[in-house]
Amino acid sequence: MDKLIVEGGYKLKGTVNISGSKNASLPILAAALLTDEPVRISRVPDVSDTNYMIQILSQLGASVERSSGTVRIDSPDGISSSASYEQVRKMRASICLLGPMMARMKRCTLPLPGGCVIGDRPVDLHVRAIQALGARVRIKSGNLVMEAPNGLVGATVDMRGDNGPTVLGTDNLMMAAVLARGTTVIESAAREPEVVDLANFLNKMGAQIEGAGSRTITIHGVEQLHGCEHTVIPDRIEAGTFMVAGALISEGVTINRICRDHVQAVADMLSECGHTVRFSSNGASVYVAPGVQPKGGKITTSPYPGFPTDMQAQMTALFSVTPGISVVRDTIFPQRFMHCSELKRMGANIKMDNGTAVITGTERLSGAPVMASDLRASAALVLAALAAEGVTEIHRLYHIDRGYEMLDDKLMGLGAHVSRVPDLKAVEES
Ligand code: EPZ
């Protein structure tokens, strides 16, 4: 187990290249199961979550080769329809294997994913969607057991849940529908760029999907899909994280390999708070610098294209040292505030009020030993540490390694004083 030592107070400068999207890669890797022909996916980030997905695909019987950012997957007939608890329990997003396994093998045994620190992670919308296409479902010793011996049949399904549309639920239904008999219409579909990227990948495989990126997606089932090549979109949350770093403590940073539309909500919020945000003419790069007179802001997360839930913790770190009062409410994961207690240990003034964080900006945070808890909370702690006075030790770095490719190297490249060292104390405790 590693920890990150951050010496705060050093202004970032220079340029950083954003990696491919973790959240686009995961369903696309799973979608490789939909054909017995090889697929090649480029710019898959080398992070724990994509490696877990690759391990699961191999364990099912697919042959997977990875050379730097390109992954080649070959899923011959006869692959298993049953994933192991050992593998699935490591990553909740494994639920996105449901759709491709049901489409290809018409049955699947998938351990139910547990919750996680950002809140209860139900899968009722996923189950209801595949049932609507004719699957029989039962829960057996902690597994979701689904079968559709006569194959899946297209239907119209409304995917809206109490907390809005479901991203991976939309993905699962799309992947189940591509080989179903007839047409499937997804109402209240998620509009995230990662859903669009998956739809583009499936259409390259020969699927017939229209409307991805809107609230209504139509899928005309086809007999079979073929292999293809695809490059995943840039990681908009990694890009947003570096944009916040640029606004927090820099002489101006340039963030390359982004897609302007995908980070517009974060850019608008940073500009509203008085920071400098300038996109290149082609929208593939953005320059961010701290505002002269920055001010607090009010964030209510919402499904794309609204402000992303995956960016509210990072903004909370920025608000912690921004003059004035800021308010952050997460409508998607109302309990997603694990970072606040650790930020308070660094001197942040944050009061929780019924699922809303009220932040009063302080002059400066002070370095302290802190504990990472989930992927984006950990990113918030790294940001806070960059701006804090003194040294911060961030334990349980594996949370960051789930979704940020070479974060410490990228920060060092921007002039941050960070170093990754073995966490000997954690080893003793574990
Ligand atoms: C995806 O998770 C992302 N993960 C999450 O990013 C992201 O926070 C989330 O979408 C919301 O944007 C991946 O893409 C791998 P949801 P997902 O289903 O699809 C409720 C990160 O940090 N819900 O869109 O699992 C759910 O509880 C991760 O990279 C149901 O009620 O999230 C939540 O309140 C964290 N029933 C809301 O919907 C269901 O069956 C949205 O969840 C499914 C979801």
Side-chain angles (χ1 to χ4, degrees):
M1 242 187 276
D2 290 347
K3 63 184 175 185
L4 195 68
I5 312 282
V6 183
E7 209 183 328
Y10 292 86
K11 291 192 172 185
L12 306 180
K13 59 182 179 302
T15 65
V16 62
N17 290 332
I18 296 303
S19 300
S21 164
K22 162 185 86 88
N23 289 351
S25 299
L26 293 173
I28 287 174
L29 288 167
L33 293 175
L34 289 164
T35 177
D36 58 1
E37 296 183 8
V39 298
R40 283 168 61 85
I41 307 153
S42 301
R43 299 205 66 225
V44 174
D46 181 6
V47 294
S48 316
D49 274 9
T50 54
N51 291 327
Y52 289 146
M53 180 59 81
I54 287 170
Q55 285 165 19
I56 295 171
L57 294 174
S58 309
Q59 180 245 337
L60 292 174
S63 73
V64 188
E65 289 156 38
R66 175 175 213 152
S67 60
S68 66
T70 297
V71 180
R72 182 184 186 281
I73 303 170
D74 202 343
S75 323
D77 283 340
I79 51 172
S80 163
S81 63
S82 172
S84 80
Y85 176 66
E86 259 328 288
Q87 292 297 342
V88 167
R89 69 181 179 82
K90 295 176 191 167
M91 182 179 62
R92 204 202 142 277
S94 319
I95 189 69
C96 69
L97 288 157
L98 191 56
M101 290 171 92
M102 284 306 292
R104 173 85 184 270
M105 293 167 282
K106 304 185 179 25
R107 65 178 184 283
C108 111
T109 301
L110 200 61
L112 274 168
C116 65
V117 290
I118 67 176
D120 180 22
R121 306 293 295 274
V123 292
D124 57 308
L125 298 174
H126 298 250
V127 171
R128 201 180 75 196
I130 313 290
Q131 270 179 320
L133 301 192
R136 284 201 303 269
V137 181
R138 58 198 163 90
I139 308 284
K140 189 162 175 279
S141 38
N143 292 320
L144 201 50
V145 179
M146 286 192 147
E147 47 197 12
N150 306 320
L152 298 172
V153 179
T156 295
V157 189
D158 190 316
M159 288 300 280
R160 172 165 287 278
D162 297 342
N163 298 75
T166 161
V167 173
L168 290 182
T170 301
D171 292 348
N172 258 333
L173 181 48
M174 214 160 41
M175 292 188 281
V178 290
L179 294 175
R181 287 194 305 279
T183 296
T184 298
V185 178
I186 306 178
E187 301 290 359
S188 311
R191 296 175 52 193
E192 272 66 8
E194 295 76 23
V195 173
V196 177
D197 206 28
L198 173 64
N200 291 338
F201 175 71
L202 293 169
N203 281 339
K204 281 183 188 173
M205 294 172 84
Q208 290 180 16
I209 301 171
E210 299 143 14
S214 77
R215 282 280 176 253
T216 303
I217 303 177
T218 303
I219 303 107
H220 303 287
V222 295
E223 282 299 308
Q224 65 180 17
L225 297 177
H226 51 72
C228 72
E229 301 204 354
H230 184 78
T231 299
V232 299
I233 54 173
D235 193 311
R236 62 191 170 101
I237 306 301
E238 183 193 18
T241 304
F242 276 100
M243 290 167 72
V244 172
L248 179 63
I249 178 162
S250 84
E251 292 168 7
V253 294
T254 300
I255 302 156
N256 295 326
R257 294 190 184 173
I258 64 155
C259 178
R260 172 174 189 154
D261 292 351
H262 298 174
V263 297
Q264 195 62 59
V266 176
D268 293 347
M269 178 53 66
L270 290 174
S271 304
E272 246 174 72
C273 294
H275 300 291
T276 301
V277 181
R278 269 201 305 273
F279 286 97
S280 61
S281 52
N282 65 1
S285 171
V286 65
Y287 171 85
V288 181
V292 177
Q293 286 185 310
K295 58 186 188 345
K298 187 175 182 327
I299 288 176
T300 299
T301 66
S302 63
Y304 191 85
F307 193 91
T309 172
D310 294 348
M311 278 300 305
Q312 56 98 339
Q314 297 91 315
M315 284 300 293
T316 301
L318 173 62
F319 287 150
S320 300
V321 289
T322 302
I325 305 274
S326 301
V327 179
V328 176
R329 191 161 76 85
D330 196 328
T331 65
I332 296 173
F333 293 114
Q335 296 86 14
R336 194 177 193 173
F337 290 100
M338 292 289 286
H339 45 288
C340 292
S341 46
E342 294 301 293
L343 289 172
K344 283 156 75 171
R345 296 189 60 249
M346 298 174 72
N349 180 344
I350 304 175
K351 288 186 178 45
M352 289 310 298
D353 172 18
N354 187 23
T356 297
V358 180
I359 305 120
T360 306
T362 51
E363 183 68 29
R364 183 175 282 288
L365 298 176
S366 57
V370 291
M371 199 72 81
S373 57
D374 70 275
L375 175 55
R376 308 303 175 185
S378 318
L381 297 179
V382 175
L383 293 172
L386 293 173
E389 198 165 40
V391 176
T392 299
E393 280 196 5
I394 300 170
H395 298 270
R396 297 186 181 171
L397 213 47
Y398 56 84
H399 288 292
I400 289 190
D401 294 338
R402 295 192 62 133
Y404 285 94
E405 189 177 47
M406 302 193 313
L407 180 63
D408 39 337
D409 294 332
K410 290 179 178 177
L411 286 171
M412 264 186 266
L414 289 171
H417 287 217
V418 299
S419 54
R420 174 190 285 257
V421 298
D423 195 350
L424 300 178
K425 190 163 168 295
V427 171
E428 280 158 31
E429 280 165 1
S430 62

PDB file of all heavy atoms in Angstrom, residues 327-341:
ATOM      1  N   VAL A 327     -21.902  26.776  -1.491  1.00  0.00           N
ATOM      2  CA  VAL A 327     -22.871  25.724  -1.124  1.00  0.00           C
ATOM      3  C   VAL A 327     -22.798  24.614  -2.164  1.00  0.00           C
ATOM      4  O   VAL A 327     -22.782  24.890  -3.373  1.00  0.00           O
ATOM      5  CB  VAL A 327     -24.303  26.303  -1.089  1.00  0.00           C
ATOM      6  CG1 VAL A 327     -25.320  25.201  -0.737  1.00  0.00           C
ATOM      7  CG2 VAL A 327     -24.394  27.438  -0.081  1.00  0.00           C
ATOM      8  N   VAL A 328     -22.717  23.364  -1.692  1.00  0.00           N
ATOM      9  CA  VAL A 328     -22.669  22.217  -2.613  1.00  0.00           C
ATOM     10  C   VAL A 328     -23.728  21.210  -2.225  1.00  0.00           C
ATOM     11  O   VAL A 328     -23.783  20.757  -1.079  1.00  0.00           O
ATOM     12  CB  VAL A 328     -21.278  21.533  -2.570  1.00  0.00           C
ATOM     13  CG1 VAL A 328     -21.267  20.283  -3.454  1.00  0.00           C
ATOM     14  CG2 VAL A 328     -20.178  22.501  -3.012  1.00  0.00           C
ATOM     15  N   ARG A 329     -24.610  20.880  -3.183  1.00  0.00           N
ATOM     16  CA  ARG A 329     -25.644  19.871  -2.937  1.00  0.00           C
ATOM     17  C   ARG A 329     -25.519  18.805  -4.022  1.00  0.00           C
ATOM     18  O   ARG A 329     -25.332  19.135  -5.201  1.00  0.00           O
ATOM     19  CB  ARG A 329     -27.031  20.535  -3.005  1.00  0.00           C
ATOM     20  CG  ARG A 329     -28.168  19.642  -2.493  1.00  0.00           C
ATOM     21  CD  ARG A 329     -29.396  20.477  -2.155  1.00  0.00           C
ATOM     22  NE  ARG A 329     -30.111  20.908  -3.348  1.00  0.00           N
ATOM     23  CZ  ARG A 329     -31.024  20.140  -3.965  1.00  0.00           C
ATOM     24  NH1 ARG A 329     -31.301  18.929  -3.487  1.00  0.00           N
ATOM     25  NH2 ARG A 329     -31.650  20.561  -5.043  1.00  0.00           N
ATOM     26  N   ASP A 330     -25.563  17.535  -3.603  1.00  0.00           N
ATOM     27  CA  ASP A 330     -25.449  16.442  -4.577  1.00  0.00           C
ATOM     28  C   ASP A 330     -26.799  15.738  -4.681  1.00  0.00           C
ATOM     29  O   ASP A 330     -27.227  15.052  -3.744  1.00  0.00           O
ATOM     30  CB  ASP A 330     -24.343  15.448  -4.155  1.00  0.00           C
ATOM     31  CG  ASP A 330     -23.934  14.551  -5.326  1.00  0.00           C
ATOM     32  OD1 ASP A 330     -24.814  14.259  -6.167  1.00  0.00           O
ATOM     33  OD2 ASP A 330     -22.749  14.153  -5.391  1.00  0.00           O
ATOM     34  N   THR A 331     -27.498  15.932  -5.796  1.00  0.00           N
ATOM     35  CA  THR A 331     -28.829  15.314  -5.943  1.00  0.00           C
ATOM     36  C   THR A 331     -28.705  13.867  -6.425  1.00  0.00           C
ATOM     37  O   THR A 331     -29.667  13.120  -6.380  1.00  0.00           O
ATOM     38  CB  THR A 331     -29.651  16.081  -7.017  1.00  0.00           C
ATOM     39  OG1 THR A 331     -28.992  15.912  -8.292  1.00  0.00           O
ATOM     40  CG2 THR A 331     -29.744  17.560  -6.677  1.00  0.00           C
ATOM     41  N   ILE A 332     -27.527  13.473  -6.884  1.00  0.00           N
ATOM     42  CA  ILE A 332     -27.363  12.124  -7.455  1.00  0.00           C
ATOM     43  C   ILE A 332     -26.905  11.137  -6.388  1.00  0.00           C
ATOM     44  O   ILE A 332     -27.425  10.041  -6.260  1.00  0.00           O
ATOM     45  CB  ILE A 332     -26.397  12.200  -8.660  1.00  0.00           C
ATOM     46  CG1 ILE A 332     -27.064  13.066  -9.738  1.00  0.00           C
ATOM     47  CG2 ILE A 332     -26.058  10.805  -9.183  1.00  0.00           C
ATOM     48  CD1 ILE A 332     -26.213  13.377 -10.912  1.00  0.00           C
ATOM     49  N   PHE A 333     -25.890  11.520  -5.622  1.00  0.00           N
ATOM     50  CA  PHE A 333     -25.436  10.723  -4.468  1.00  0.00           C
ATOM     51  C   PHE A 333     -25.449  11.636  -3.242  1.00  0.00           C
ATOM     52  O   PHE A 333     -24.435  12.241  -2.899  1.00  0.00           O
ATOM     53  CB  PHE A 333     -24.034  10.162  -4.716  1.00  0.00           C
ATOM     54  CG  PHE A 333     -23.951   9.146  -5.815  1.00  0.00           C
ATOM     55  CD1 PHE A 333     -23.252   9.414  -6.979  1.00  0.00           C
ATOM     56  CD2 PHE A 333     -24.601   7.922  -5.701  1.00  0.00           C
ATOM     57  CE1 PHE A 333     -23.188   8.481  -8.004  1.00  0.00           C
ATOM     58  CE2 PHE A 333     -24.545   6.976  -6.727  1.00  0.00           C
ATOM     59  CZ  PHE A 333     -23.841   7.267  -7.879  1.00  0.00           C
ATOM     60  N   PRO A 334     -26.635  11.769  -2.592  1.00  0.00           N
ATOM     61  CA  PRO A 334     -26.777  12.735  -1.487  1.00  0.00           C
ATOM     62  C   PRO A 334     -25.814  12.533  -0.319  1.00  0.00           C
ATOM     63  O   PRO A 334     -25.584  13.458   0.449  1.00  0.00           O
ATOM     64  CB  PRO A 334     -28.236  12.536  -1.049  1.00  0.00           C
ATOM     65  CG  PRO A 334     -28.923  11.936  -2.233  1.00  0.00           C
ATOM     66  CD  PRO A 334     -27.899  11.097  -2.921  1.00  0.00           C
ATOM     67  N   GLN A 335     -25.234  11.308  -0.198  1.00  0.00           N
ATOM     68  CA  GLN A 335     -24.308  11.113   0.938  1.00  0.00           C
ATOM     69  C   GLN A 335     -22.852  11.311   0.540  1.00  0.00           C
ATOM     70  O   GLN A 335     -21.932  11.006   1.283  1.00  0.00           O
ATOM     71  CB  GLN A 335     -24.423   9.679   1.508  1.00  0.00           C
ATOM     72  CG  GLN A 335     -25.741   9.298   2.120  1.00  0.00           C
ATOM     73  CD  GLN A 335     -26.712   8.774   1.059  1.00  0.00           C
ATOM     74  OE1 GLN A 335     -26.322   8.460  -0.069  1.00  0.00           O
ATOM     75  NE2 GLN A 335     -27.980   8.732   1.407  1.00  0.00           N
ATOM     76  N   ARG A 336     -22.600  11.796  -0.646  1.00  0.00           N
ATOM     77  CA  ARG A 336     -21.214  11.800  -1.177  1.00  0.00           C
ATOM     78  C   ARG A 336     -20.399  12.958  -0.597  1.00  0.00           C
ATOM     79  O   ARG A 336     -19.937  13.841  -1.300  1.00  0.00           O
ATOM     80  CB  ARG A 336     -21.292  11.879  -2.708  1.00  0.00           C
ATOM     81  CG  ARG A 336     -19.993  11.558  -3.380  1.00  0.00           C
ATOM     82  CD  ARG A 336     -20.153  11.584  -4.887  1.00  0.00           C
ATOM     83  NE  ARG A 336     -19.006  10.977  -5.534  1.00  0.00           N
ATOM     84  CZ  ARG A 336     -18.914  10.728  -6.829  1.00  0.00           C
ATOM     85  NH1 ARG A 336     -19.910  11.067  -7.637  1.00  0.00           N
ATOM     86  NH2 ARG A 336     -17.847  10.160  -7.342  1.00  0.00           N
ATOM     87  N   PHE A 337     -20.177  12.907   0.728  1.00  0.00           N
ATOM     88  CA  PHE A 337     -19.443  14.008   1.378  1.00  0.00           C
ATOM     89  C   PHE A 337     -18.347  13.490   2.291  1.00  0.00           C
ATOM     90  O   PHE A 337     -17.971  14.145   3.265  1.00  0.00           O
ATOM     91  CB  PHE A 337     -20.441  14.901   2.138  1.00  0.00           C
ATOM     92  CG  PHE A 337     -21.334  15.689   1.218  1.00  0.00           C
ATOM     93  CD1 PHE A 337     -22.629  15.271   0.953  1.00  0.00           C
ATOM     94  CD2 PHE A 337     -20.860  16.833   0.580  1.00  0.00           C
ATOM     95  CE1 PHE A 337     -23.447  15.989   0.078  1.00  0.00           C
ATOM     96  CE2 PHE A 337     -21.670  17.559  -0.301  1.00  0.00           C
ATOM     97  CZ  PHE A 337     -22.969  17.136  -0.549  1.00  0.00           C
ATOM     98  N   MET A 338     -17.811  12.305   1.987  1.00  0.00           N
ATOM     99  CA  MET A 338     -16.772  11.719   2.849  1.00  0.00           C
ATOM    100  C   MET A 338     -15.549  12.623   2.914  1.00  0.00           C
ATOM    101  O   MET A 338     -14.800  12.617   3.868  1.00  0.00           O
ATOM    102  CB  MET A 338     -16.338  10.356   2.277  1.00  0.00           C
ATOM    103  CG  MET A 338     -17.371   9.282   2.343  1.00  0.00           C
ATOM    104  SD  MET A 338     -17.657   8.735   4.018  1.00  0.00           S
ATOM    105  CE  MET A 338     -16.178   7.795   4.304  1.00  0.00           C
ATOM    106  N   HIS A 339     -15.312  13.411   1.878  1.00  0.00           N
ATOM    107  CA  HIS A 339     -14.100  14.241   1.817  1.00  0.00           C
ATOM    108  C   HIS A 339     -14.172  15.382   2.835  1.00  0.00           C
ATOM    109  O   HIS A 339     -13.155  15.907   3.259  1.00  0.00           O
ATOM    110  CB  HIS A 339     -13.944  14.831   0.415  1.00  0.00           C
ATOM    111  CG  HIS A 339     -15.218  15.388  -0.136  1.00  0.00           C
ATOM    112  ND1 HIS A 339     -16.268  14.581  -0.543  1.00  0.00           N
ATOM    113  CD2 HIS A 339     -15.651  16.661  -0.307  1.00  0.00           C
ATOM    114  CE1 HIS A 339     -17.273  15.345  -0.940  1.00  0.00           C
ATOM    115  NE2 HIS A 339     -16.937  16.600  -0.804  1.00  0.00           N
ATOM    116  N   CYS A 340     -15.399  15.760   3.226  1.00  0.00           N
ATOM    117  CA  CYS A 340     -15.533  16.972   4.071  1.00  0.00           C
ATOM    118  C   CYS A 340     -14.851  16.794   5.419  1.00  0.00           C
ATOM    119  O   CYS A 340     -14.148  17.697   5.900  1.00  0.00           O
ATOM    120  CB  CYS A 340     -17.007  17.322   4.252  1.00  0.00           C
ATOM    121  SG  CYS A 340     -17.754  17.864   2.703  1.00  0.00           S
ATOM    122  N   SER A 341     -14.998  15.597   6.012  1.00  0.00           N
ATOM    123  CA  SER A 341     -14.397  15.423   7.355  1.00  0.00           C
ATOM    124  C   SER A 341     -12.875  15.511   7.254  1.00  0.00           C
ATOM    125  O   SER A 341     -12.216  16.114   8.104  1.00  0.00           O
ATOM    126  CB  SER A 341     -14.813  14.071   7.954  1.00  0.00           C
ATOM    127  OG  SER A 341     -14.660  13.051   6.986  1.00  0.00           O
TER     128      SER A 341
END
